[in-house]
Amino acid sequence: MVKIIGEYGFCFGVKNAIQILKENKKKDGKIILLHPLIHNQTLNDKLMEENNAVLYDKNTNISEKDIIIFSAHGHLKEEEEKFKNYHYENAICPLITKRYKFIKENYNNDINYLFLGKKKHQETISFLSFFKFLKLVDVENIMDDLEKLNLKKEDKTFLIPQTTVSYFKYNQVLSYLKEKTNLVSNLPICPHYLKRATDALQILKNEDINKTVFVVCGDKMSSNANEIYNLIKSSCSNLMGYIALTASQLNLSDLKNKKIYLISSTSVSKEEVESLYDELSKL
């Protein structure tokens, strides 16, 4: 038995980025991506080929006919300045755009603004570029980074998480700030990836671990795919699970005679999920 749990396919932010790419395809010029459009390498390669797009590097020549597209995860403020005289489109996720707007409109000099994220993730790099006052709390170094800030109980704090940061690390930092500081407020993590993980947990927690396997359909380098997987494993640690886009990335012998549950990350298409479903249904 193979079953897809809950909604599947792209979230709105990914759909938006892909639509912007397709709308700007040109016959007389190329599209230049400053960073990978979305965190799905297979699909990125396909979209770039179909839409005459290339990934920017220092040797890229830009003509007046070309269009620059900023990725769904954000870009550097310096990049926006560098390319301001060229034709460019911003494919940034609307959820991230709302956060930029919120921070600009509500900034208070009396508050310590903390950004929780992966140090090398494009979203984190972008936020720190646009808002120099943000203090980074790296998910790989949480307690050390928090202690280095030397925050006191009377210090006002505000937490801004990377949208696809770990649910557990997000709550760990929230708890710390509530106990050690005057936490004024916080922004939430992305509700789309969180819902897919919690929907899956509602079903998987009642399954026999010896007869069940779950597969998060996504790129292994994708933050949201990894966090869906981690959230499920945190509650179902003995349940066998994978992150994969195709059956070739799985140990198929582990899946024979098992119930297989598919959970879609937010950066894979419905077609990719359905293709994996079809492959596994033939086992």
Side-chain angles (χ1 to χ4, degrees), residues 31-117:
I31 291 174
I32 298 171
L33 300 175
L34 293 190
H35 306 283
L37 188 71
I38 57 174
H39 285 170
N40 180 337
Q41 188 59 53
T42 301
L43 189 56
N44 265 326
D45 292 343
K46 182 173 182 287
L47 287 168
M48 287 172 68
E49 182 179 351
E50 291 175 347
N51 294 280
N52 192 26
V54 298
L55 199 58
Y56 177 82
D57 64 32
K58 62 181 181 180
N59 297 316
T60 304
N61 293 317
I62 307 175
S63 75
E64 293 181 354
K65 296 178 180 179
D66 298 334
I67 298 174
I68 296 169
I69 293 184
F70 297 135
S71 81
H73 301 95
H75 56 276
L76 299 179
K77 185 176 183 180
E78 293 80 1
E79 289 173 332
E80 195 168 288
E81 181 66 24
K82 180 178 179 179
F83 298 107
K84 66 180 180 180
N85 294 323
Y86 292 95
H87 181 181
Y88 69 83
E89 298 285 343
N90 196 347
I92 192 169
C93 171
L95 178 59
I96 297 176
T97 300
K98 286 182 180 179
R99 292 179 180 223
Y100 278 34
K101 186 172 185 280
F102 178 87
I103 295 170
K104 288 176 182 177
E105 293 178 351
N106 294 277
Y107 173 72
N108 185 325
N109 192 47
D110 294 331
I111 297 175
N112 294 280
Y113 291 87
L114 279 59
F115 188 90
L116 174 66

Coordinates of all heavy atoms in Angstrom, one line a residue, residues 31-117:
I31 N 17.6 34.7 -19.1 CA 17.2 35.0 -17.7 C 18.5 34.6 -16.9 O 19.1 33.6 -17.1 CB 16.0 34.2 -17.2 CG1 14.7 34.7 -17.9 CG2 15.9 34.3 -15.7 CD1 13.5 33.8 -17.6
I32 N 18.8 35.5 -16.0 CA 20.0 35.3 -15.1 C 19.5 35.2 -13.7 O 18.9 36.1 -13.1 CB 21.0 36.5 -15.2 CG1 21.5 36.5 -16.7 CG2 22.1 36.3 -14.3 CD1 22.3 37.8 -17.0
L33 N 19.7 34.0 -13.1 CA 19.4 33.8 -11.7 C 20.6 34.0 -10.8 O 21.7 33.5 -11.0 CB 18.9 32.3 -11.5 CG 17.7 31.9 -12.3 CD1 17.5 30.4 -12.1 CD2 16.5 32.7 -11.9
L34 N 20.5 34.9 -9.8 CA 21.6 35.2 -8.9 C 21.9 34.0 -8.0 O 23.0 33.8 -7.5 CB 21.3 36.5 -8.1 CG 21.3 37.8 -9.0 CD1 21.2 39.0 -8.0 CD2 22.4 37.9 -9.9
H35 N 20.8 33.3 -7.7 CA 20.9 32.1 -6.8 C 19.9 31.1 -7.3 O 19.0 31.5 -8.0 CB 20.6 32.5 -5.3 CG 21.4 33.6 -4.8 ND1 22.7 33.5 -4.4 CD2 21.1 34.9 -4.6 CE1 23.2 34.7 -4.0 NE2 22.2 35.6 -4.2
P36 N 20.0 29.8 -6.9 CA 19.0 28.8 -7.3 C 17.6 29.3 -7.0 O 17.4 29.8 -5.9 CB 19.4 27.6 -6.5 CG 20.9 27.7 -6.3 CD 21.1 29.2 -6.1
L37 N 16.7 29.2 -7.9 CA 15.4 29.8 -7.7 C 14.7 29.1 -6.5 O 14.1 29.8 -5.7 CB 14.5 29.5 -9.0 CG 13.2 30.2 -9.1 CD1 13.3 31.7 -9.2 CD2 12.3 29.6 -10.2
I38 N 14.7 27.8 -6.4 CA 14.1 27.1 -5.3 C 15.0 26.0 -4.9 O 16.0 25.6 -5.6 CB 12.7 26.5 -5.7 CG1 12.9 25.5 -7.0 CG2 11.7 27.6 -6.0 CD1 11.6 24.8 -7.3
H39 N 14.8 25.3 -3.8 CA 15.6 24.3 -3.3 C 15.1 22.9 -3.8 O 14.6 22.1 -3.0 CB 15.7 24.3 -1.7 CG 16.5 25.4 -1.2 ND1 16.6 25.8 0.1 CD2 17.4 26.3 -1.9 CE1 17.4 26.8 0.2 NE2 17.9 27.1 -1.0
N40 N 15.3 22.7 -5.0 CA 15.0 21.5 -5.7 C 15.9 21.4 -6.9 O 15.5 22.0 -8.0 CB 13.5 21.4 -6.1 CG 13.1 20.1 -6.8 OD1 14.0 19.4 -7.4 ND2 11.9 19.7 -6.7
Q41 N 17.1 20.9 -6.8 CA 18.1 21.0 -7.9 C 17.6 20.4 -9.2 O 17.8 20.9 -10.3 CB 19.4 20.3 -7.4 CG 20.6 20.5 -8.4 CD 20.9 21.9 -8.6 OE1 21.1 22.6 -7.6 NE2 20.9 22.4 -9.8
T42 N 16.9 19.2 -9.1 CA 16.4 18.6 -10.3 C 15.5 19.5 -11.1 O 15.6 19.7 -12.3 CB 15.7 17.3 -10.0 OG1 16.6 16.4 -9.3 CG2 15.2 16.6 -11.3
L43 N 14.6 20.1 -10.4 CA 13.6 21.0 -11.0 C 14.2 22.3 -11.4 O 13.9 22.8 -12.5 CB 12.4 21.2 -10.0 CG 11.2 22.0 -10.6 CD1 10.7 21.3 -11.8 CD2 10.1 22.2 -9.6
N44 N 15.2 22.8 -10.6 CA 15.9 24.0 -11.0 C 16.5 23.8 -12.4 O 16.4 24.7 -13.3 CB 17.0 24.3 -10.0 CG 16.5 25.3 -8.9 OD1 15.7 26.2 -9.2 ND2 16.9 25.2 -7.7
D45 N 17.2 22.7 -12.5 CA 17.9 22.4 -13.8 C 16.9 22.4 -15.0 O 17.2 22.9 -16.1 CB 18.7 21.1 -13.7 CG 19.9 21.2 -12.8 OD1 20.3 22.3 -12.4 OD2 20.4 20.1 -12.4
K46 N 15.8 21.7 -14.7 CA 14.8 21.6 -15.8 C 14.2 23.0 -16.1 O 14.0 23.3 -17.3 CB 13.7 20.7 -15.3 CG 12.5 20.4 -16.3 CD 11.6 19.3 -15.7 CE 10.5 19.0 -16.7 NZ 9.5 20.0 -16.8
L47 N 13.9 23.8 -15.1 CA 13.3 25.1 -15.4 C 14.3 26.0 -16.1 O 13.9 26.8 -16.9 CB 12.9 25.7 -14.0 CG 11.6 25.1 -13.4 CD1 11.5 25.6 -11.9 CD2 10.4 25.4 -14.1
M48 N 15.5 25.9 -15.7 CA 16.5 26.8 -16.4 C 16.7 26.4 -17.8 O 16.7 27.3 -18.7 CB 17.9 26.6 -15.6 CG 17.9 27.3 -14.3 SD 19.4 27.0 -13.3 CE 20.6 27.8 -14.3
E49 N 16.6 25.1 -18.1 CA 16.8 24.7 -19.5 C 15.5 25.1 -20.3 O 15.7 25.6 -21.5 CB 16.9 23.2 -19.6 CG 17.1 22.6 -21.0 CD 17.3 21.1 -21.0 OE1 17.4 20.5 -19.9 OE2 17.3 20.6 -22.1
E50 N 14.4 25.0 -19.8 CA 13.1 25.3 -20.5 C 12.9 26.8 -20.7 O 12.2 27.2 -21.6 CB 11.9 24.7 -19.7 CG 11.8 23.2 -19.7 CD 10.7 22.7 -18.9 OE1 10.1 23.5 -18.1 OE2 10.4 21.5 -19.0
N51 N 13.5 27.6 -19.8 CA 13.3 29.1 -19.9 C 14.5 29.9 -20.2 O 14.5 31.1 -19.9 CB 12.7 29.5 -18.5 CG 11.3 28.9 -18.3 OD1 10.3 29.4 -18.8 ND2 11.2 27.8 -17.5
N52 N 15.5 29.3 -20.8 CA 16.7 30.0 -21.2 C 17.3 30.8 -20.1 O 17.6 32.0 -20.2 CB 16.4 30.9 -22.4 CG 17.6 31.4 -23.1 OD1 18.7 30.8 -23.0 ND2 17.5 32.6 -23.7
A53 N 17.5 30.1 -19.0 CA 18.0 30.8 -17.8 C 19.4 30.2 -17.4 O 19.7 29.0 -17.7 CB 17.1 30.6 -16.6
V54 N 20.3 31.0 -16.8 CA 21.6 30.6 -16.4 C 21.8 31.1 -15.0 O 21.2 32.1 -14.6 CB 22.7 31.2 -17.3 CG1 22.5 30.6 -18.7 CG2 22.7 32.7 -17.3
L55 N 22.7 30.5 -14.3 CA 23.0 30.9 -12.9 C 24.2 31.9 -13.0 O 25.2 31.6 -13.6 CB 23.4 29.7 -12.1 CG 23.3 29.8 -10.5 CD1 22.0 30.3 -10.1 CD2 23.7 28.5 -9.8
Y56 N 24.1 33.0 -12.4 CA 25.1 34.0 -12.4 C 26.4 33.6 -11.8 O 26.4 33.0 -10.7 CB 24.6 35.3 -11.8 CG 25.6 36.5 -11.7 CD1 25.7 37.3 -12.8 CD2 26.3 36.7 -10.6 CE1 26.6 38.3 -12.8 CE2 27.2 37.7 -10.5 CZ 27.4 38.5 -11.7 OH 28.3 39.6 -11.6
D57 N 27.5 34.0 -12.4 CA 28.8 34.0 -11.8 C 29.6 35.1 -12.3 O 29.1 35.9 -13.1 CB 29.6 32.6 -12.0 CG 29.9 32.4 -13.5 OD1 30.2 33.3 -14.2 OD2 29.9 31.2 -13.9
K58 N 30.9 35.3 -11.8 CA 31.6 36.5 -12.1 C 32.0 36.6 -13.6 O 32.3 37.7 -14.1 CB 32.9 36.5 -11.3 CG 33.9 35.3 -11.6 CD 35.1 35.4 -10.8 CE 36.1 34.2 -11.1 NZ 37.3 34.3 -10.2
N59 N 31.8 35.6 -14.4 CA 32.1 35.6 -15.8 C 30.9 35.8 -16.7 O 31.0 35.8 -17.9 CB 32.8 34.3 -16.2 CG 34.1 34.1 -15.6 OD1 34.9 35.0 -15.4 ND2 34.4 32.9 -15.1
T60 N 29.7 36.0 -16.0 CA 28.5 36.1 -16.8 C 28.4 37.5 -17.4 O 28.5 38.5 -16.7 CB 27.2 35.9 -15.9 OG1 27.3 34.6 -15.3 CG2 25.9 36.0 -16.7
N61 N 28.1 37.6 -18.7 CA 27.9 38.9 -19.4 C 26.4 39.2 -19.4 O 25.6 38.3 -19.8 CB 28.5 38.8 -20.8 CG 30.0 38.7 -20.8 OD1 30.7 39.4 -20.0 ND2 30.5 37.8 -21.7
I62 N 26.1 40.4 -19.0 CA 24.7 40.8 -19.0 C 24.4 41.8 -20.0 O 25.1 42.9 -20.1 CB 24.3 41.3 -17.6 CG1 24.7 40.3 -16.5 CG2 22.8 41.6 -17.5 CD1 24.4 40.9 -15.1
S63 N 23.5 41.6 -20.9 CA 23.1 42.5 -21.9 C 21.8 43.2 -21.6 O 21.1 42.9 -20.6 CB 22.9 41.8 -23.3 OG 21.7 41.1 -23.3
E64 N 21.5 44.2 -22.4 CA 20.3 45.0 -22.1 C 19.0 44.1 -22.3 O 17.9 44.5 -21.8 CB 20.2 46.2 -23.1 CG 21.3 47.3 -22.8 CD 21.2 48.4 -23.8 OE1 20.3 48.3 -24.7 OE2 21.9 49.4 -23.6
K65 N 19.1 43.1 -23.1 CA 18.0 42.2 -23.3 C 17.7 41.2 -22.2 O 16.7 40.5 -22.2 CB 18.2 41.5 -24.7 CG 18.2 42.4 -25.9 CD 18.5 41.6 -27.2 CE 18.5 42.5 -28.4 NZ 18.8 41.8 -29.6
D66 N 18.7 41.0 -21.4 CA 18.6 40.0 -20.3 C 17.8 40.5 -19.1 O 17.6 41.7 -18.9 CB 20.0 39.6 -19.8 CG 20.9 39.0 -20.9 OD1 20.3 38.4 -21.8 OD2 22.1 39.1 -20.8
I67 N 17.3 39.5 -18.4 CA 16.5 39.8 -17.2 C 17.1 39.1 -16.0 O 17.4 37.9 -16.1 CB 15.0 39.3 -17.3 CG1 14.3 40.1 -18.5 CG2 14.2 39.6 -16.0 CD1 12.9 39.6 -18.8
I68 N 17.3 39.8 -14.9 CA 17.8 39.2 -13.7 C 16.6 38.9 -12.8 O 15.7 39.7 -12.6 CB 18.8 40.2 -13.0 CG1 20.0 40.4 -13.8 CG2 19.2 39.6 -11.6 CD1 20.9 41.6 -13.4
I69 N 16.7 37.6 -12.2 CA 15.6 37.2 -11.2 C 16.2 36.9 -9.9 O 17.1 36.1 -9.8 CB 14.8 36.1 -11.8 CG1 14.0 36.5 -13.0 CG2 13.8 35.5 -10.7 CD1 13.1 35.5 -13.6
F70 N 15.8 37.5 -8.9 CA 16.2 37.2 -7.5 C 15.4 36.0 -7.0 O 14.2 35.9 -7.3 CB 15.9 38.4 -6.6 CG 16.7 39.6 -6.9 CD1 16.1 40.9 -7.0 CD2 18.1 39.5 -7.3 CE1 16.9 42.0 -7.3 CE2 18.8 40.7 -7.6 CZ 18.2 41.9 -7.6
S71 N 16.0 35.1 -6.3 CA 15.4 33.9 -5.9 C 14.3 34.0 -4.8 O 14.2 35.0 -4.2 CB 16.5 32.9 -5.4 OG 16.8 33.2 -4.0
A72 N 13.6 32.9 -4.6 CA 12.5 32.8 -3.7 C 13.0 33.0 -2.2 O 12.2 33.5 -1.4 CB 11.8 31.5 -3.8
H73 N 14.3 32.8 -1.9 CA 14.7 32.8 -0.6 C 15.3 34.2 -0.2 O 15.7 34.4 0.9 CB 15.8 31.7 -0.3 CG 15.3 30.4 -0.6 ND1 15.4 29.7 -1.8 CD2 14.5 29.5 0.2 CE1 14.8 28.5 -1.7 NE2 14.3 28.4 -0.5
G74 N 15.5 35.1 -1.2 CA 16.0 36.4 -0.9 C 17.4 36.6 -1.6 O 17.9 35.7 -2.2
H75 N 17.9 37.8 -1.4 CA 19.2 38.2 -2.0 C 19.8 39.2 -1.1 O 19.2 39.8 -0.2 CB 18.9 38.7 -3.4 CG 18.0 39.9 -3.4 ND1 16.6 39.7 -3.5 CD2 18.2 41.2 -3.4 CE1 16.0 40.9 -3.5 NE2 16.9 41.8 -3.4
L76 N 21.1 39.5 -1.4 CA 21.8 40.6 -0.7 C 21.3 42.0 -1.1 O 21.0 42.2 -2.2 CB 23.3 40.4 -0.9 CG 23.9 39.1 -0.5 CD1 25.4 39.2 -0.9 CD2 23.8 38.8 0.9
K77 N 21.3 42.8 -0.1 CA 21.1 44.3 -0.4 C 22.1 44.8 -1.4 O 21.8 45.6 -2.3 CB 21.1 45.1 0.9 CG 20.7 46.5 0.7 CD 20.7 47.2 2.0 CE 20.2 48.7 1.9 NZ 20.1 49.4 3.2
E78 N 23.3 44.3 -1.2 CA 24.4 44.7 -2.1 C 24.1 44.3 -3.6 O 24.5 45.0 -4.5 CB 25.7 44.2 -1.7 CG 26.2 44.7 -0.3 CD 25.6 44.1 0.9 OE1 24.7 43.2 0.7 OE2 25.9 44.5 2.0
E79 N 23.5 43.1 -3.7 CA 23.2 42.7 -5.1 C 22.1 43.5 -5.7 O 22.2 43.8 -6.9 CB 22.7 41.2 -5.0 CG 23.8 40.2 -4.7 CD 23.3 38.8 -4.5 OE1 22.2 38.7 -4.0 OE2 24.1 37.9 -4.7
E80 N 21.1 43.9 -4.9 CA 20.1 44.8 -5.4 C 20.7 46.1 -5.9 O 20.3 46.7 -6.9 CB 19.0 45.1 -4.3 CG 17.8 45.6 -4.8 CD 16.7 45.6 -3.8 OE1 16.2 44.5 -3.5 OE2 16.4 46.7 -3.3
E81 N 21.6 46.6 -5.2 CA 22.3 47.9 -5.5 C 23.2 47.7 -6.8 O 23.2 48.5 -7.7 CB 23.2 48.4 -4.4 CG 23.9 49.7 -4.6 CD 23.0 50.9 -4.8 OE1 21.9 50.8 -4.2 OE2 23.4 51.8 -5.4
K82 N 23.8 46.6 -6.9 CA 24.8 46.3 -8.0 C 24.0 46.2 -9.3 O 24.5 46.6 -10.3 CB 25.5 45.0 -7.7 CG 26.5 44.5 -8.8 CD 27.2 43.3 -8.4 CE 28.1 42.8 -9.5 NZ 28.9 41.6 -9.1
F83 N 22.8 45.6 -9.3 CA 22.1 45.4 -10.5 C 20.9 46.3 -10.7 O 20.0 46.0 -11.5 CB 21.6 43.9 -10.5 CG 22.7 42.9 -10.5 CD1 23.0 42.2 -9.4 CD2 23.5 42.7 -11.6 CE1 24.0 41.2 -9.4 CE2 24.5 41.8 -11.6 CZ 24.8 41.1 -10.5
K84 N 20.9 47.4 -10.0 CA 19.7 48.3 -10.0 C 19.4 48.9 -11.4 O 18.3 49.3 -11.7 CB 19.9 49.4 -9.0 CG 21.0 50.4 -9.2 CD 21.1 51.4 -8.1 CE 22.2 52.4 -8.4 NZ 22.3 53.4 -7.4
N85 N 20.4 49.0 -12.2 CA 20.3 49.6 -13.5 C 19.9 48.6 -14.6 O 19.8 48.9 -15.8 CB 21.6 50.3 -13.9 CG 21.8 51.5 -13.0 OD1 20.9 52.2 -12.6 ND2 23.1 51.8 -12.7
Y86 N 19.8 47.3 -14.2 CA 19.3 46.3 -15.1 C 17.9 46.0 -14.9 O 17.3 46.3 -13.9 CB 20.2 45.0 -14.9 CG 21.6 45.2 -15.3 CD1 22.6 45.5 -14.3 CD2 22.1 44.9 -16.6 CE1 23.9 45.6 -14.7 CE2 23.4 45.1 -16.9 CZ 24.3 45.4 -16.0 OH 25.6 45.5 -16.3
H87 N 17.3 45.3 -15.9 CA 15.9 44.8 -15.8 C 15.9 43.6 -14.8 O 16.5 42.6 -15.1 CB 15.3 44.4 -17.1 CG 13.9 44.0 -17.0 ND1 13.2 43.5 -18.1 CD2 13.0 43.8 -16.0 CE1 12.0 43.2 -17.8 NE2 11.9 43.3 -16.5
Y88 N 15.2 43.8 -13.7 CA 15.2 42.6 -12.8 C 13.8 42.4 -12.2 O 13.0 43.3 -12.1 CB 16.2 42.8 -11.6 CG 15.9 43.9 -10.6 CD1 15.1 43.6 -9.5 CD2 16.6 45.1 -10.7 CE1 14.8 44.6 -8.6 CE2 16.3 46.1 -9.8 CZ 15.5 45.9 -8.7 OH 15.2 46.8 -7.8
E89 N 13.6 41.2 -11.8 CA 12.3 40.8 -11.2 C 12.6 40.1 -9.8 O 13.6 39.4 -9.7 CB 11.5 39.8 -12.0 CG 11.1 40.3 -13.4 CD 9.9 41.3 -13.3 OE1 9.3 41.3 -12.3 OE2 9.7 42.0 -14.3
N90 N 11.8 40.3 -8.9 CA 12.0 39.7 -7.5 C 11.0 38.6 -7.3 O 9.8 38.8 -7.2 CB 11.8 40.8 -6.5 CG 12.4 40.4 -5.1 OD1 12.7 39.2 -4.9 ND2 12.5 41.3 -4.2
A91 N 11.6 37.4 -7.2 CA 10.7 36.2 -7.0 C 10.7 35.7 -5.6 O 10.4 34.6 -5.3 CB 11.2 35.0 -7.9
I92 N 11.0 36.6 -4.7 CA 11.1 36.3 -3.2 C 9.7 35.8 -2.7 O 8.7 36.3 -3.2 CB 11.6 37.5 -2.4 CG1 12.0 37.1 -1.0 CG2 10.5 38.6 -2.4 CD1 12.7 38.2 -0.2
C93 N 9.8 34.9 -1.8 CA 8.5 34.3 -1.2 C 7.7 35.4 -0.5 O 8.3 36.2 0.2 CB 8.9 33.3 -0.2 SG 7.6 32.7 0.8
P94 N 6.4 35.5 -0.8 CA 5.6 36.5 -0.2 C 5.6 36.6 1.3 O 5.5 37.6 1.9 CB 4.2 36.2 -0.7 CG 4.4 35.5 -2.0 CD 5.7 34.7 -1.8
L95 N 5.8 35.4 1.9 CA 5.9 35.3 3.4 C 7.2 36.1 3.9 O 7.1 36.8 4.9 CB 6.0 33.9 3.9 CG 6.1 33.6 5.4 CD1 5.0 34.3 6.1 CD2 6.2 32.1 5.7
I96 N 8.3 35.9 3.1 CA 9.5 36.7 3.5 C 9.3 38.1 3.2 O 9.8 39.0 4.0 CB 10.7 36.1 2.7 CG1 10.9 34.6 3.1 CG2 12.0 36.9 3.0 CD1 12.0 33.9 2.3
T97 N 8.7 38.5 2.1 CA 8.4 39.9 1.8 C 7.6 40.6 3.0 O 7.9 41.7 3.3 CB 7.6 40.0 0.5 OG1 8.4 39.5 -0.6 CG2 7.3 41.5 0.2
K98 N 6.6 39.9 3.5 CA 5.8 40.4 4.6 C 6.7 40.7 5.8 O 6.5 41.6 6.5 CB 4.7 39.5 4.9 CG 3.6 39.4 3.9 CD 2.4 38.5 4.3 CE 1.3 38.5 3.3 NZ 0.2 37.5 3.7
R99 N 7.7 39.8 6.0 CA 8.6 40.0 7.2 C 9.5 41.2 7.0 O 9.7 41.9 8.0 CB 9.4 38.7 7.4 CG 8.5 37.5 7.8 CD 9.3 36.2 8.0 NE 8.3 35.2 8.4 CZ 8.5 34.3 9.4 NH1 9.7 34.3 10.0 NH2 7.6 33.5 9.7
Y100 N 10.0 41.4 5.8 CA 10.8 42.6 5.5 C 9.9 43.8 5.8 O 10.4 44.7 6.5 CB 11.2 42.6 4.1 CG 12.4 41.7 3.7 CD1 12.6 40.5 4.3 CD2 13.2 42.2 2.7 CE1 13.7 39.8 3.9 CE2 14.3 41.4 2.3 CZ 14.6 40.2 2.9 OH 15.7 39.4 2.6
K101 N 8.7 43.8 5.3 CA 7.8 45.0 5.5 C 7.5 45.2 7.0 O 7.6 46.3 7.5 CB 6.5 44.8 4.7 CG 5.6 46.0 4.7 CD 4.4 45.7 3.8 CE 3.5 46.9 3.6 NZ 2.6 47.0 4.7
F102 N 7.3 44.1 7.7 CA 6.9 44.2 9.1 C 8.1 44.8 9.9 O 7.9 45.7 10.8 CB 6.6 42.8 9.7 CG 6.3 42.8 11.2 CD1 5.0 43.1 11.6 CD2 7.3 42.6 12.1 CE1 4.7 43.1 13.0 CE2 7.0 42.6 13.4 CZ 5.7 42.8 13.9
I103 N 9.3 44.3 9.6 CA 10.5 44.8 10.4 C 10.7 46.3 10.1 O 11.0 47.0 11.0 CB 11.7 44.0 10.0 CG1 11.6 42.5 10.4 CG2 13.0 44.5 10.6 CD1 12.6 41.6 9.8
K104 N 10.6 46.7 8.8 CA 10.8 48.1 8.5 C 9.8 49.0 9.2 O 10.2 50.1 9.6 CB 10.7 48.2 6.9 CG 11.9 47.6 6.2 CD 11.6 47.8 4.7 CE 12.8 47.1 3.9 NZ 12.5 47.2 2.4
E105 N 8.6 48.5 9.2 CA 7.5 49.4 9.8 C 7.5 49.4 11.3 O 6.9 50.3 11.9 CB 6.2 49.0 9.2 CG 6.0 49.2 7.7 CD 4.7 48.8 7.2 OE1 4.0 48.1 8.0 OE2 4.4 49.1 6.0
N106 N 8.1 48.4 11.9 CA 7.9 48.2 13.4 C 9.2 48.2 14.2 O 9.2 48.0 15.4 CB 7.2 46.9 13.7 CG 5.7 46.9 13.2 OD1 4.8 47.4 13.8 ND2 5.6 46.3 12.0
Y107 N 10.3 48.6 13.5 CA 11.6 48.6 14.2 C 11.6 49.6 15.3 O 11.1 50.7 15.3 CB 12.7 49.0 13.2 CG 14.0 49.2 13.9 CD1 14.8 48.1 14.4 CD2 14.6 50.4 14.0 CE1 16.0 48.2 15.0 CE2 15.8 50.6 14.7 CZ 16.5 49.5 15.2 OH 17.7 49.7 15.8
N108 N 12.2 49.1 16.5 CA 12.3 49.9 17.7 C 13.7 49.8 18.2 O 14.2 48.7 18.5 CB 11.3 49.4 18.7 CG 11.2 50.3 20.0 OD1 12.3 50.8 20.4 ND2 10.1 50.4 20.6
N109 N 14.4 50.9 18.3 CA 15.8 50.9 18.7 C 16.0 50.3 20.1 O 17.1 50.0 20.5 CB 16.3 52.3 18.6 CG 17.8 52.4 18.7 OD1 18.5 51.6 18.1 ND2 18.3 53.2 19.6
D110 N 14.9 50.2 20.9 CA 15.1 49.7 22.3 C 15.0 48.2 22.4 O 15.1 47.6 23.5 CB 14.0 50.3 23.2 CG 14.1 51.8 23.4 OD1 15.3 52.3 23.3 OD2 13.1 52.5 23.5
I111 N 14.8 47.5 21.2 CA 14.6 46.1 21.2 C 15.8 45.4 20.6 O 16.3 45.9 19.6 CB 13.3 45.7 20.5 CG1 12.1 46.3 21.2 CG2 13.1 44.2 20.3 CD1 10.8 46.2 20.5
N112 N 16.2 44.2 21.1 CA 17.2 43.4 20.5 C 16.5 42.4 19.6 O 15.7 41.6 20.0 CB 17.9 42.6 21.6 CG 18.7 43.5 22.5 OD1 19.8 43.9 22.2 ND2 18.1 43.8 23.7
Y113 N 16.8 42.5 18.3 CA 16.2 41.7 17.3 C 17.1 40.5 17.0 O 18.2 40.7 16.5 CB 15.9 42.4 16.0 CG 14.8 43.5 16.2 CD1 15.1 44.7 16.7 CD2 13.4 43.2 15.9 CE1 14.1 45.7 16.8 CE2 12.4 44.1 16.1 CZ 12.8 45.4 16.5 OH 11.8 46.3 16.7
L114 N 16.6 39.3 17.2 CA 17.4 38.1 17.0 C 16.9 37.3 15.8 O 15.6 37.2 15.6 CB 17.3 37.2 18.2 CG 18.3 37.5 19.4 CD1 18.0 38.9 20.0 CD2 18.1 36.4 20.5
F115 N 17.8 36.9 15.0 CA 17.4 36.0 13.8 C 17.9 34.6 14.0 O 19.1 34.4 14.1 CB 17.9 36.6 12.5 CG 17.4 35.9 11.3 CD1 16.2 36.4 10.7 CD2 18.0 34.8 10.8 CE1 15.7 35.7 9.6 CE2 17.5 34.1 9.7 CZ 16.3 34.6 9.1
L116 N 17.0 33.7 14.1 CA 17.4 32.3 14.2 C 17.4 31.6 12.9 O 16.3 31.5 12.2 CB 16.4 31.6 15.2 CG 16.5 30.0 15.3 CD1 17.9 29.7 16.0 CD2 15.4 29.4 16.1
G117 N 18.5 31.1 12.4 CA 18.6 30.5 11.1 C 19.9 29.7 10.9 O 20.8 29.7 11.7

